[in-house]
Amino acid sequence: MEIDNLTPAELRVWRAFPRGESVNFRGSDDEDVAQGADWGPERTVRGAVLRTLLLNGPQEDGEIPALKLSGARITGVLDLRYGTSDHAVRLSHCFFEDTPLLYASRLRQLNLSWSVLPGLTAATMRVEGVLRMTDCRFLGPVRLGGAQLAGALFMDRAEFTASGTDEPALQLNQVTIGDDLWAPGLRAHGEVRLNGATVAGSVNLNDAHLSHPGEVVLDAQTLVVEGDIHLRHVRTQGWIGLRGARIAGRLDLSYARLSNPGDGVLRASSSTIGELWLRKSPPAEGTLNLLRAQIDELFVEPEAVPARVLLNGLVYTSLSPHEPAARRLEMVERDDEGYVPHAYEQLTAAYLRIGDDHAARLVQLAKQRRHRTTLPWYGRLWGHVQDAAVGYGFRPLRAFGWLLSLLAIGSVAYALHHPRPLKPSEAPDFNPLFYTLDLLLPVISFGQEGAFAPEGGYQTLSYALVIAGWILATTVFAGVTRTVSRQ
């Protein structure tokens, strides 16, 4: 490109480049970059001029070239496809008329902060430093799939819109980030795609607003994050997909407002997470899917649990904060799959690990009662008997209470009306207490039952006591067997 063909604005940029000096065309600090289409030739620079500078610009001995431009209207396409530039690039507060083409380019550093762009095509781009898009506004798809960033990616308060297209608003699929993905306050109108991405640091999406009603709003399947994912105060309209993701640190959804009525709102099946925090937030509008997930620390407040959950196969080491069993059982009983034995066993194990045996027994009792609803009528009937008699073996003292009550009834009844001895000359002295015990205890004999024969209603009472004794013995044996096998 001949220098004689440059406009005064472009010449100013051309001369500043070899020394790495900044060129600022901004009229004021509070001007709206979105109005950049109205900026005149005094602050207009062609994309072709910037391309020439970055690929083959002038240099001066002892100086470090860099492109530092603010407040410019960039016309034409900035096309760096497959190109390599060793210079830092800062195009802040700029208005781009056309989508920059950076596909497969190799850059030292790129800063587009506070700029307005119709989109960005930069898939498989490689940046040796950081990529900054702070406070940027993109009016079309941002394609960064497969990009490799040695440093961090900054997108705090950036806005992404993909209206009029089926493409995701922000495409970061298969991207590799050597540091943090920093995007608090991000706003996306459309899908944010992070599936298959790898982040060596943490992901910060605090205060983000993600909107894609009825569709995936954050697709992060098989995402790998070596640090934390912060989603505090996030607002979503659509569902978050984390199937198969691996998060070494914390997935923090504190104060989040998640909404996708009638469908999944957080799908984290088969994921591996260090800590999952769901607290200080209203119940999500949609289904919480944790099928087959593995979580070390599950920090979930009962008030934050949605009305529908999927917990089959979920494995967690500890459950916080410590809550009574009744409050935790509400979450388990909201499972869309109905009776899920695994969920009860996991909750029991969590209580046993912290030494709360009483809560663990209550969970097991609730499990048996829930299981009873899945049985045929005769199974439900026998279940009710076991529950009433000994609480399925988890309330053994109840059997002792039944025994004492029946013993008192029989002793009083037979003390008032002694049964007739079968062989008066051989019969022992009648004892109403031990006679009643003989009737109630199937395997113990005190010699009373075989020596006397009650008549009429007292004979019916004896039959009832024998049946009650067998039922008590059977339920106690079933409860003890269940307890021993569980241990």
Side-chain angles (χ1 to χ4, degrees), residues 168-307:
L170 175 59
Q171 302 172 33
L172 292 169
N173 46 297
Q174 311 300 327
V175 71
T176 301
I177 301 174
D179 203 328
D180 292 340
L181 194 168
W182 192 262
L186 178 143
R187 290 166 294 167
H189 308 281
E191 177 185 340
V192 176
R193 182 171 292 176
L194 266 170
N195 57 298
T198 301
V199 181
S202 295
V203 176
N204 188 329
L205 285 167
N206 288 340
D207 299 294
H209 289 197
L210 310 176
S211 178
H212 198 201
E215 303 291 341
V216 57
V217 68
L218 177 60
D219 182 3
Q221 299 181 68
T222 66
L223 168 69
V224 176
V225 178
E226 300 299 335
D228 303 326
I229 295 183
H230 300 284
L231 289 165
R232 289 194 166 207
H233 298 280
V234 71
R235 292 174 179 266
T236 65
Q237 291 179 299
W239 55 274
I240 297 175
L242 288 170
R243 183 182 61 81
R246 183 171 65 84
I247 303 166
R250 180 194 312 163
L251 174 58
D252 191 351
L253 284 159
S254 303
Y255 308 95
R257 293 181 177 272
L258 311 180
S259 177
N260 191 36
D263 202 350
V265 67
L266 174 62
R267 304 177 182 180
S269 59
S270 303
S271 59
T272 303
I273 303 172
E275 300 178 21
L276 173 58
W277 285 28
L278 189 59
R279 52 188 288 272
K280 305 299 182 184
S281 58
E285 299 178 17
T287 302
L288 173 64
N289 183 343
L290 296 177
L291 293 171
R292 300 176 301 282
Q294 298 186 35
I295 302 172
D296 290 337
E297 172 76 18
L298 186 59
F299 194 114
V300 177
E301 293 179 347
E303 297 81 6
V305 178

Side-chain angles (χ1 to χ4, degrees), residues 153-453:
L153 172 57
F154 293 94
M155 298 187 297
D156 29 324
R157 299 177 303 280
E159 183 173 3
F160 301 86
T161 304
S163 57
T165 176
D166 294 332
E167 286 191 67
L170 175 59
Q171 302 172 33
L172 292 169
N173 46 297
Q174 311 300 327
V175 71
T176 301
I177 301 174
D179 203 328
D180 292 340
L181 194 168
W182 192 262
L186 178 143
R187 290 166 294 167
H189 308 281
E191 177 185 340
V192 176
R193 182 171 292 176
L194 266 170
N195 57 298
T198 301
V199 181
S202 295
V203 176
N204 188 329
L205 285 167
N206 288 340
D207 299 294
H209 289 197
L210 310 176
S211 178
H212 198 201
E215 303 291 341
V216 57
V217 68
L218 177 60
D219 182 3
Q221 299 181 68
T222 66
L223 168 69
V224 176
V225 178
E226 300 299 335
D228 303 326
I229 295 183
H230 300 284
L231 289 165
R232 289 194 166 207
H233 298 280
V234 71
R235 292 174 179 266
T236 65
Q237 291 179 299
W239 55 274
I240 297 175
L242 288 170
R243 183 182 61 81
R246 183 171 65 84
I247 303 166
R250 180 194 312 163
L251 174 58
D252 191 351
L253 284 159
S254 303
Y255 308 95
R257 293 181 177 272
L258 311 180
S259 177
N260 191 36
D263 202 350
V265 67
L266 174 62
R267 304 177 182 180
S269 59
S270 303
S271 59
T272 303
I273 303 172
E275 300 178 21
L276 173 58
W277 285 28
L278 189 59
R279 52 188 288 272
K280 305 299 182 184
S281 58
E285 299 178 17
T287 302
L288 173 64
N289 183 343
L290 296 177
L291 293 171
R292 300 176 301 282
Q294 298 186 35
I295 302 172
D296 290 337
E297 172 76 18
L298 186 59
F299 194 114
V300 177
E301 293 179 347
E303 297 81 6
V305 178
R308 300 169 60 191
V309 297
L310 290 169
L311 304 176
N312 201 2
L314 168 65
V315 177
Y316 50 90
T317 303
S318 60
L319 179 62
S320 300
H322 182 64
E323 295 280 354
R327 285 171 59 79
R328 290 300 184 192
L329 284 168
E330 290 179 1
M331 177 177 72
V332 175
E333 291 167 356
R334 294 174 184 176
D335 201 299
D336 269 6
E337 295 185 2
Y339 171 60
V340 180
H342 179 85
Y344 289 92
E345 293 301 323
Q346 280 294 300
L347 185 55
T348 300
Y351 278 122
L352 289 176
R353 274 190 287 268
I354 61 175
D356 195 342
D357 295 341
H358 175 68
R361 287 193 296 271
L362 291 178
V363 174
Q364 284 296 309
L365 178 57
K367 174 189 173 185
Q368 294 301 325
R369 288 171 173 170
R370 186 70 181 275
H371 177 242
R372 184 173 68 208
T373 63
T374 67
L375 301 176
W377 69 267
Y378 49 85
R380 293 196 300 273
L381 178 61
W382 177 239
H384 281 293
V385 171
Q386 291 189 76
D387 195 0
V390 290
Y392 284 100
F394 299 103
R395 292 177 177 173
L397 290 179
R398 184 178 290 180
F400 185 67
W402 280 107
L403 179 63
L404 288 180
S405 299
L406 294 172
L407 183 61
I409 293 172
S411 299
V412 171
Y414 293 117
L416 296 176
H417 190 282
H418 290 196
R420 177 179 56 83
L422 293 175
K423 296 180 179 181
S425 60
E426 300 178 7
D429 294 336
F430 179 75
N431 187 308
L433 175 65
F434 285 96
Y435 180 75
T436 305
L437 281 175
D438 252 354
L439 296 173
L440 287 172
L441 302 178
V443 295
I444 299 177
S445 175
F446 294 100
Q448 294 279 316
E449 180 184 1
F452 298 93

